Amino acid sequence: RRRLDEVLQRRLRSLRFVTEEQAKLGDYLETRQSSLLAAHEEVHRAHQRLRQEVELDDSGRVAGGLRGREARLSDAKAQIADVQQRCVYEAQHREAALEARQKELEACSESLSDMDEALRMQEERLQEVFQSQA
């Protein structure tokens, strides 16, 4: 019975650990998503300002400085897309690891349930033996 309690305690600790890790991952992903959205909005605003400056140019030409800014803006967009892709990959990797852990826990829980049932049956047999001897 004590062994069963120990196994239950270990499984409970494992479940708590997975739950805490999932919460941490959720918080991390929310933070990353917020920062990516903010960066994306900032790039969008800069792009809008650049378009307005180009539209206001009465000479019909785009000044060299504006071309440079547009190139930097494109680079920034590419960097944001790269960071976003890395975040998605990292999140998928962490999620896969957590899912593997969850499957392990489910297998352990099933095994524990089987052990619990076997223990219950053994207790019933022992009670029958004691009752028949009494």
Side-chain angles (χ1 to χ4, degrees):
R1 186 69 179 184
R2 193 179 75 174
R3 184 169 179 240
L4 179 62
D5 287 342
E6 290 173 359
V7 169
L8 284 172
Q9 288 300 319
R10 280 196 308 262
R11 297 302 173 237
L12 184 59
R13 283 192 300 270
S14 294
L15 282 172
R16 285 181 183 151
F17 173 77
V18 168
T19 302
E20 290 172 4
E21 289 300 310
Q22 286 176 334
K24 287 178 187 176
L25 178 60
D27 292 344
Y28 172 77
L29 292 176
E30 285 179 14
T31 301
R32 292 293 277 190
Q33 183 180 14
S34 296
S35 64
L36 283 174
L37 288 174
H40 183 68
E41 289 174 10
E42 183 178 338
V43 167
H44 181 70
R45 284 192 300 272
H47 191 65
Q48 291 294 350
R49 285 192 305 270
L50 180 61
R51 284 183 185 265
Q52 287 174 353
E53 288 179 24
V54 170
E55 290 172 4
L56 294 177
D57 190 355
D58 293 332
S59 66
R61 294 181 292 154
V62 177
L66 291 178
R67 284 191 187 136
R69 286 169 54 188
E70 192 170 282
R72 287 191 305 274
L73 182 60
S74 293
D75 289 344
K77 282 184 177 181
Q79 287 175 351
I80 287 172
D82 183 50
V83 169
Q84 187 175 19
Q85 185 61 37
R86 280 186 274 148
C87 288
V88 167
Y89 173 77
E90 184 178 332
Q92 289 171 340
H93 180 67
R94 284 186 178 192
E95 184 177 5
L98 285 173
E99 286 176 2
R101 269 281 180 67
Q102 184 66 32
K103 286 179 183 178
E104 289 175 14
L105 285 173
E106 288 170 1
C108 289
S109 293
E110 186 176 321
S111 176
L112 183 61
S113 179
D114 292 345
M115 287 173 49
D116 191 36
E117 179 63 22
L119 182 61
R120 186 191 60 75
M121 290 173 62
Q122 192 174 30
E123 285 180 85
E124 287 176 3
R125 285 188 210 129
L126 284 173
Q127 284 179 351
E128 289 174 5
V129 169
F130 286 136
Q131 287 176 355
S132 67
Q133 290 178 354

